[in-house]
Amino acid sequence: MASTRNQVVKLQKATLRTIKDRIFEHIGELPNDLKRFQADYHKATATYSAISTRDELTKRICDANIVLCGDFHTLNQAQRVHLRLLRDQLKKNRQIVLGVEVIPASEQDNLDRFMAGTLTEKAFLKAIDYKRIWGFPWEHYRPIFEFAQKNQIPMFGLNTNTGKGGVHPTLSERDNFVAKKIATITKLQPNSLLFVTFGDMHLAPHHIPAKLDKALGKEERKTLVVYQNSEALYWQLAEQGLADKVDVVRVDDRSYCIIGAPPWVKQQSYLDWLENTDRQLMSGASYQDSVKANYEEELYNIACEISVFLGLEKYGLESFDFRTIDDLPKIQNWYPNLSHLVTRNNCLYFPDRNLIFLTIVDINHAAEGAAELIHHLRSGFGDDDPTTKDAFYRRIMRRAMAYFGSMLLNHKRKCWYFRDHHLFVQKTKGKHLSREDKEKRLVSQKVLEHQRAEDEFIWGLKQRLHLPSVYKTDIETGYAISRAIGYIQGDKFYRGLFQRVVTGKDMRQLFLNPMEEPGEAQEVYIHWRIVLKQVFKMFTSKDQTF
């Protein structure tokens, strides 16, 4: 098991080194003041005092007057964590006030008008000159603003006027300004939780927290710091075999750290932003649109890393075609019978053209596409009639291997297990649903129907596993069912590596097997379904984790 873990960590560290080297090519050496900030942050998050949980953190936030929550501006996962923590507090009936780095304090009037609905989003972003004063993807932050609007949560801008007036404030000056602003707000709202989102490095003890204590003077406030995704803490957990089991650690009595994304996923988001910013300035392309060129090289690098881990050759990995949602008309022209399918899947692989198609371009889906590329090149699998029973099980296994590949690069990724599908079906029973939720509910019902049938077959209650009602659904639903089941299998393959249920050799053989003989794919699926029953996973709903 230690050897397998070491292999995975080696792959992950190689990925991180490559990304950091590319970042250095863009930005070079950091300025001295930023180096000092970084050193203070690394010292503050060098080690942890105890493993913690989301429940413990929620209770500590409930007991706090001020929460300083770290942000990594290019990582969407960081902003999603802010939302999850806020929702947890709303369920506790807390009165909340929200302070954000993303908006300068001088733009409070425009922010108030936007939150009140008298200023449109487009007009608001133009009025505050968002692209110039902040520049990080608005799409990442929009849900926080929508959440505050919906729940009538007062919102305050905390930042200095970065870039206005010609002179940029120093990092220390910014921290002083923000600390005084936080102190003023909490004095005006003494019975509310003041939840602040600000860059992680500013939250080291000698920076905003110390300056806030000084600004508060004799005012008594319980302040809690919540860091996010410390690299040092992540590698400590990884060395202890806990990186895929722990989401929260207690750093000290006044601070916690949420580990919601591995270091290379975090740094990849920054690299994407660096590379896309120049391209956007030149072409006017949107943030998501401009990612494509970066990921062509990234897909190749990921495919090489996964191949090395599996002990497979790297030849031919460079010869693929990569397309994104921008190319949708062309894809639909090439595959008219799959027109709706390509818009409803985040990652599709077309073996006839050696084509990876991503509607969402990120490291998770890039790794899925890279894993499918490897499987195709090494096994030689071809196209299927998507309505056949054999094709259904081949899709399950291909999605399982694709998801396994993505877990090697981001083991924090989460999928719905059978119980998640069960809970969704129960929760939506008898309710008026949108078209999207109706389709989602149908998929969950079919996944559970298949689970019951395969269990009956495995335990000898049925002579064969045959479910025409599942295999013969429309193409889009059939793909969604096989993807959902395949993701569960892929997640278990990854976890099985560390529980000595699955070996690297087992996975290599799967990637070499096209499973094209009649009935073979189902046999392989059932074999591994039985073997993987040994894999232990404490059930936690996807919605309950960071």
Side-chain angles (χ1 to χ4, degrees):
M1 183 170 65
S3 175
T4 299
R5 183 181 297 124
N6 291 342
Q7 282 182 288
V8 173
V9 169
K10 184 178 178 182
L11 180 153
Q12 294 165 344
K13 287 188 173 180
T15 301
L16 181 59
R17 279 195 302 273
T18 300
I19 293 169
K20 283 187 172 181
D21 287 346
R22 289 170 63 192
I23 289 173
F24 184 81
E25 290 173 6
H26 281 271
I27 65 174
E29 291 285 345
L30 295 175
N32 288 332
D33 59 345
L34 193 54
K35 281 184 179 179
R36 287 192 293 270
F37 256 60
Q38 194 175 65
D40 288 343
Y41 174 77
H42 289 163
K43 182 179 179 181
T45 60
T47 188
Y48 64 90
S49 62
I51 300 297
S52 185
T53 64
R54 181 170 177 174
D55 285 344
E56 180 186 324
L57 177 57
T58 299
K59 289 174 184 175
R60 287 295 306 273
I61 293 175
C62 278
D63 193 42
N65 304 111
I66 302 170
V67 171
L68 306 175
C69 191
D71 186 31
F72 194 78
H73 312 316
T74 58
L75 180 67
N76 198 10
Q77 174 68 12
Q79 292 85 48
R80 287 199 292 264
V81 164
H82 298 155
L83 270 180
R84 287 165 186 154
L85 293 176
L86 287 166
R87 289 191 187 109
D88 287 346
Q89 293 308 301
L90 207 61
K91 290 174 185 175
K92 304 289 184 182
N93 296 316
R94 290 290 308 268
Q95 288 183 308
I96 302 171
V97 176
L98 187 55
V100 294
E101 181 185 12
V102 61
I103 305 296
S106 60
E107 297 292 349
Q108 190 63 43
D109 180 59
N110 283 320
L111 176 58
D112 289 342
R113 291 168 60 205
F114 175 56
M115 298 304 287
T118 60
L119 197 63
T120 66
E121 178 183 294
K122 184 177 181 180
F124 169 62
L125 297 178
K126 183 178 180 180
I128 67 173
D129 200 2
Y130 179 86
K131 284 187 177 180
R132 185 173 64 82
I133 66 167
W134 189 244
F136 296 104
W138 168 249
E139 295 86 351
H140 293 187
Y141 291 92
R142 179 190 289 120
I144 297 173
F145 286 77
E146 291 175 342
F147 174 83
Q149 285 176 322
K150 179 181 177 181
N151 294 288
Q152 297 183 318
I153 294 173
M155 200 167 189
F156 290 88
L158 298 177
N159 215 345
T160 53
N161 294 328
T162 307
K164 289 189 175 181
V167 179
H168 292 259
T170 66
L171 292 170
S172 182
E173 288 170 342
R174 286 183 65 198
D175 286 353
N176 273 319
F177 178 88
V178 172
K180 290 175 182 177
K181 187 70 179 175
I182 293 171
T184 300
I185 296 168
T186 192
K187 289 173 185 177
L188 292 173
Q189 305 266 2
N191 298 319
S192 297
L193 165 66
L194 175 51
F195 191 96
V196 172
T197 67
F198 220 86
D200 230 40
M201 285 197 295
H202 291 271
L203 305 187
H206 296 306
H207 298 290
I208 289 179
K211 296 177 191 301
L212 176 57
D213 287 342
K214 183 179 179 180
L216 286 169
K218 294 181 180 180
E219 292 281 341
E220 290 189 6
R221 292 290 188 276
K222 292 181 181 178
T223 301
L224 188 72
V225 173
V226 182
Y227 301 110
Q228 286 204 64
N229 304 310
S230 157
E231 184 176 328
L233 295 180
Y234 175 85
W235 290 123
Q236 284 182 43
L237 292 170
E239 288 168 6
Q240 296 162 10
L242 297 174
D244 59 343
K245 300 180 180 73
V246 175
D247 291 324
V248 187
V249 295
R250 191 189 319 136
V251 178
D252 54 37
D253 289 341
R254 291 189 64 181
S255 62
Y256 286 74
C257 185
I258 294 170
I259 310 293
W264 55 94
V265 174
K266 173 180 171 179
Q267 295 299 327
Q268 180 68 53
S269 75
Y270 181 45
L271 176 62
D272 289 342
W273 180 77
L274 287 171
E275 293 183 334
N276 296 333
T277 299
D278 289 342
R279 191 172 295 109
Q280 289 175 60
L281 290 172
M282 289 186 293
S283 67
S286 71
Y287 177 77
Q288 184 68 18
D289 293 346
S290 62
V291 173
K292 179 181 176 182
N294 303 335
Y295 266 90
E296 198 141 11
E297 180 181 354
E298 192 63 30
L299 274 163
Y300 172 71
N301 291 333
I302 290 171
C304 289
E305 289 158 4
I306 295 174
S307 293
V308 169
F309 175 81
L310 293 169
L312 297 171
E313 296 291 336
K314 293 189 286 186
Y315 68 86
L317 291 177
E318 72 286 349
S319 59
F320 64 90
D321 189 9
F322 173 48
R323 304 284 174 165
T324 68
I325 197 70
D326 287 346
D327 305 297
L328 182 60
K330 186 173 289 187
I331 301 293
Q332 290 176 324
N333 183 53
W334 287 340
Y335 303 99
N337 295 333
L338 304 178
S339 180
H340 293 296
L341 181 68
V342 295
T343 61
R344 299 185 184 187
N345 284 268
N346 297 332
C347 174
L348 285 173
Y349 181 78
F350 298 95
D352 61 324
R353 293 178 182 270
N354 218 18
L355 189 156
I356 299 169
F357 176 71
L358 303 182
T359 56
I360 295 180
V361 184
D362 60 17
I363 199 165
N364 291 337
H365 298 100
E368 278 192 50
E372 288 217 63
L373 170 68
I374 295 166
H375 185 207
H376 168 62
L377 291 177
R378 301 299 163 249
S379 73
F381 74 74
D383 284 323
D384 278 322
D385 175 354
T387 62
T388 67
K389 176 179 176 178
D390 283 337
F392 177 80
Y393 288 103
R394 276 193 286 271
R395 281 200 308 272
I396 288 178
M397 292 307 300
R398 288 171 190 168
R399 298 319 301 160
M401 286 182 276
Y403 196 83
F404 168 82
S406 76
M407 289 286 284
L408 289 173
L409 272 293
N410 184 11
H411 60 84
K412 290 290 183 180
R413 194 180 183 192
K414 300 176 179 70
C415 67
W416 274 22
Y417 263 61
F418 292 118
R419 190 173 169 190
D420 290 292
H421 289 285
H422 174 76
L423 290 173
F424 180 72
V425 169
Q426 293 299 109
K427 184 175 72 174
T428 55
K429 186 177 181 180
K431 292 187 177 180
H432 179 73
L433 302 176
S434 64
R435 179 179 176 182
E436 181 181 351
D437 279 343
K438 284 180 182 177
E439 292 172 351
K440 191 175 174 181
R441 190 172 197 273
L442 174 61
V443 169
S444 289
Q445 288 174 320
K446 294 297 183 183
V447 167
L448 295 172
E449 181 183 347
H450 189 274
Q451 181 203 16
R452 288 190 294 271
E454 67 185 49
D455 282 343
E456 289 173 352
F457 174 72
I458 289 169
W459 293 109
L461 301 176
K462 283 188 174 181
Q463 294 300 310
R464 64 177 185 147
L465 178 56
H466 187 64
L467 284 170
S469 61
V470 174
Y471 312 142
K472 297 293 184 180
T473 56
D474 62 87
I475 292 174
E476 291 83 3
T477 303
Y479 267 78
I481 297 166
S482 56
R483 180 179 64 245
I485 298 172
Y487 276 13
I488 296 170
Q489 194 92 320
D491 187 87
K492 286 199 166 192
F493 275 134
Y494 179 82
R495 295 178 190 280
L497 274 179
F498 299 99
Q499 297 179 29
R500 298 182 179 178
V501 176
V502 182
T503 68
K505 183 179 178 181
D506 291 329
M507 296 311 302
R508 181 166 58 252
Q509 290 303 314
L510 282 170
F511 273 83
L512 292 170
N513 186 358
M515 289 173 272
E516 291 189 330
E517 294 298 319
E520 183 183 8
Q522 187 188 62
E523 288 178 10
V524 172
Y525 169 72
I526 291 297
H527 166 76
W528 282 109
R529 177 83 162 86
I530 294 169
V531 171
L532 294 172
K533 280 183 176 289
Q534 303 172 56
V535 173
F536 173 76
K537 178 184 182 293
M538 184 179 291
F539 176 75
T540 306
S541 171
K542 182 178 178 180
D543 298 329
Q544 295 175 319
T545 58
F546 289 116

